[in-house]
DNA sequence: CCACCAATAATCCGATTGGATTAGCGCTAT
DNA sequence: ATAGCGCTAATCCAATCGGATTATTGGTGG
């Protein structure tokens, strides 16, 4: 399986270096190179749907159309493309705008190329957007400064549940189960064997009178356990 | 320079393992160990200010007083302590509550010990809060889903449900899939072969960048498709 | 001390799922 | 008319899951 990558950057040296670095790993195919947002969208029009890039590595500061606008337009026109910002800027305004525009990841250019490659591979495996540590910290601070209403209402107790028949350990495992983790992943997280994790799940199924993960998830969402 | 660390976790095995791992690096000194939030705050009262921990590694799910409350109280009583969540849970509700309570970092327990150590050192050097990649991704998604007033005026185009990339048939099949029906049952309901039903599901997984029924259900509930 | 139970772990088995590939058929638009 | 796309279908294989059973350990309460 190959990953089709688009590179959008106004500096030709950046474009070439990045392409060269990515090309050293045959998993990556650079299928589109543009020098600004307008150029990028223009080129996309002439690309058949099956050849659309999987990832667009987008610079922010560019003439004609900048990265934020390109992401805003591109992500609604082509929802299957994952837009990853790749820039030297880390001020909160740019980060915030890019995220609001629909950026799926945000990497700083001072990451060395190995990290970028690694981050993209990790994204393709896990589906999680790649984010540089410093950026993550700033995003967290932004969230902290934004007070929220819905936390107030739900601070009260709920309980009175069939959950009461489950042991602490079983509740813990149920949490992970309904989040879609494999037995082996649950085991790894809790430092127990996958077999044991499964055994707990079987006990949970019995107690709740269900017999599949799907039913567990239904219950969990209906009862608001998540 | 040493880093004074507090460990708060209700499982004694976790406490011991973590302490042992950190102690292998002489930079870290575990100065306080508690088994829940109440215990933690109680112990802090008897600690002279100059011996207060620099970092508190806080589990979330604990009896007596959970991590969120402990962070909320602790961070106002002892503003110099950096509270870092260290847990196996990565559902958005817990992440959000912890951040709002004042968490400075959020690490997942499936990070291996080297990463935790590394993250803490990095925090002490740069001042940036340590955040696991998967958590960063989820925080970013939360920000994306929180409409902001001043950005609406400049980007009113977006939205564009990922569902739109799915064909009618695929949406039909997705509905049944997330309700827990087996391939053969989906096939029977739609008068097609189980193989065909499965083929559609595989196409859906590709388009939505997921790879399991559990993830599909997650998406469906989060996006309110059910 | 013994019964009980939660938690741990392993094994065996059949059913189901995930992943990749190939292929025919019908409709649509260039 | 031919290339593209959606829908149909099948096959192969590895991984995971659901179900049942057995066993050991460590606490807790009679």
């Amino acid at each position: 399986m190959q990953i089709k990558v688009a590179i959008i950057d106004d500096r030709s040296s950046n474009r070439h270096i990045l392409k060269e670095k990515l090309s050293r790993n045959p998993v990556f195919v650079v299928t589109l190179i543009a020098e600004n947002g307008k150029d990028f969208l223009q080129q996309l029009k002439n690309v058949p749907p099956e050849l659309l890039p999987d990832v667009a590595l987008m610079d922010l500061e560019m003439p004609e159309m900048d990265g934020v606008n390109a992401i805003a337009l591109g992500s609604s026109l082509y929802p299957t493309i994952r837009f990853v910002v790749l820039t030297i800027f880390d001020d909160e305004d740019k980060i915030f705008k890019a995220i609001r525009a629909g950026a799926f990841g945000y990497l700083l250019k001072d990451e060395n190329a190995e990290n970028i490659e690694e981050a993209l591979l990790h994204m393709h495996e896990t589906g999680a957007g790649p984010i540089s540590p410093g950026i993550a910290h700033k995003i967290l601070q932004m969230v902290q400064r934004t007070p929220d209403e819905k936390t107030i209402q739900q601070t009260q107790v709920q309980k009175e549940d069939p959950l009461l028949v489950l042991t602490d350990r079983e509740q813990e495992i149920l949490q992970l189960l309904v989040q879609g983790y494999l037995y082996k992943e649950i085991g790894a997280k809790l430092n127990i064997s996958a077999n044991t994790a499964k055994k707990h799940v079987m006990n949970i199924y019995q107690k709740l009178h269900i017999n599949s993960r799907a039913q567990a998830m239904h219950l969990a969402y209906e009862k608001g356990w998540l």
Side-chain angles (χ1 to χ4, degrees), chain A:
Chain A
M1 181 57 173
Q2 285 195 317
I3 302 176
K4 298 187 284 297
V5 181
I7 296 174
I8 305 95
D9 197 309
D10 59 328
R11 295 188 68 84
S12 80
S13 60
N14 287 342
R15 296 196 295 270
H16 292 114
I17 291 172
L18 186 55
K19 172 172 179 171
E20 197 271 323
K21 300 259 186 191
L22 286 179
S23 298
R24 287 196 312 222
N25 186 332
V27 173
F28 298 106
V29 204
V30 178
T31 60
L32 197 161
I33 295 186
E35 56 185 49
N36 61 60
K38 202 169 178 182
D39 182 19
F40 170 65
L41 293 176
Q42 200 67 44
Q43 289 193 45
L44 271 188
K45 286 184 189 166
N46 303 320
V47 173
E50 73 274 15
L51 291 183
L52 282 178
D54 299 299
V55 189
L57 296 177
M58 182 78 69
D59 191 19
L60 281 190
E61 299 243 314
M62 294 181 294
E64 293 278 348
M65 181 189 291
D66 69 17
V68 171
N69 280 320
I71 291 174
L73 287 171
S75 64
S76 58
L77 291 172
Y78 308 94
T80 63
I81 301 179
R82 310 233 144 145
F83 290 87
V84 174
V85 175
L86 185 57
T87 184
I88 54 168
F89 300 107
D90 67 345
D91 57 282
E92 296 197 356
D93 185 52
K94 286 203 169 58
I95 295 172
F96 187 75
K97 282 182 178 165
I99 291 174
R100 297 288 322 132
F104 190 72
Y106 201 114
L107 296 174
L108 290 180
K109 271 184 185 162
D110 58 5
E111 304 285 336
N112 57 49
E114 287 68 35
N115 281 359
I116 291 176
E117 179 184 329
E118 204 178 293
L120 291 182
L121 288 176
H122 188 263
M123 171 179 79
H124 213 257
E125 283 165 15
T126 69
I131 296 153
S132 294
I135 301 296
H137 176 243
K138 291 208 160 113
I139 294 175
L140 185 141
Q141 286 184 319
M142 297 192 311
V143 174
Q144 265 174 357
R145 283 199 304 271
T146 310
D148 179 84
E149 304 77 22
K150 68 182 175 195
T151 43
I152 299 167
Q153 64 193 35
Q154 56 189 174
T155 34
Q156 284 303 344
V157 222
Q158 64 271 51
K159 290 301 168 186
E160 187 72 46
D161 271 320
L163 273 190
L164 293 184
V165 304
L166 297 185
T167 66
D168 287 354
R169 195 54 156 176
E170 283 165 351
Q171 294 188 38
E172 203 170 10
I173 273 150
L174 180 58
Q175 283 277 330
L176 297 173
L177 182 78
V178 300
Q179 284 173 58
Y181 291 108
L182 306 179
Y183 292 149
K184 63 168 64 163
E185 291 172 334
I186 296 175
K189 274 180 188 277
L190 300 180
N191 289 315
I192 58 178
S193 129
N195 290 315
T196 303
K198 175 179 165 176
K199 173 63 176 148
H200 284 301
V201 170
M202 291 304 142
N203 290 337
I204 292 169
Y205 285 174
Q206 275 209 341
K207 288 187 179 178
L208 299 183
H209 305 291
I210 57 180
N211 51 27
S212 76
R213 186 191 218 97
Q215 292 174 39
M217 294 185 71
H218 272 305
L219 258 186
Y221 277 105
E222 275 169 18
K223 304 277 184 179
W225 298 342
L226 279 184

